[in-house]
Amino acid sequence: MKLVFAIFLLVCFALISSSFFQTTEAGSSFCDSKCGERCAKAGVQERCLKYCGICCEKCQCVPSGTYGNKHECACYRDLKNSKGKSKCP
């Protein structure tokens, strides 16, 4: 009985973890491509990609173009850093 229960728990864990990893991979590839476009002309690309990625993961959207157009994504526009300035590039 213990063996059957242990196998059941392993199968459940495998199913849950695989569906979680597929969701995160899909979200990150979306954000990687969108932030790559957004930060294409940034002076400090590494920093731009970092903050754009954080904002994209939270908001699930990135404004079009390399600058401006923040009205297209209100969540992205409204995220602020500790100093009250826009967090998202």
Side-chain angles (χ1 to χ4, degrees):
M1 186 68 178
K2 288 182 182 179
L3 180 63
V4 172
F5 184 69
I7 291 172
F8 175 74
L9 286 178
L10 284 173
V11 169
C12 287
F13 178 75
L15 289 173
I16 291 170
S17 63
S18 68
S19 65
F20 173 75
F21 288 127
Q22 287 174 352
T23 304
T24 20
E25 285 177 16
S28 65
S29 64
F30 168 78
C31 289
D32 288 347
S33 65
K34 291 292 187 179
C35 288
E37 293 172 23
R38 182 80 177 164
C39 296
K41 295 183 179 179
V44 185
Q45 276 203 335
E46 190 173 310
R47 183 172 47 186
C48 181
L49 289 169
K50 175 185 174 184
Y51 287 107
C52 180
I54 291 169
C55 295
C56 178
E57 290 292 327
K58 186 164 186 154
C59 298
Q60 295 300 308
C61 64
V62 175
S64 62
T66 56
Y67 185 78
N69 300 323
K70 288 187 178 181
H71 64 278
E72 295 175 354
C73 182
C75 172
Y76 191 96
R77 176 193 65 216
D78 295 338
L79 285 179
K80 305 288 183 202
N81 63 18
S82 60
K83 296 178 183 177
K85 301 205 177 205
S86 180
K87 181 176 198 152
C88 308

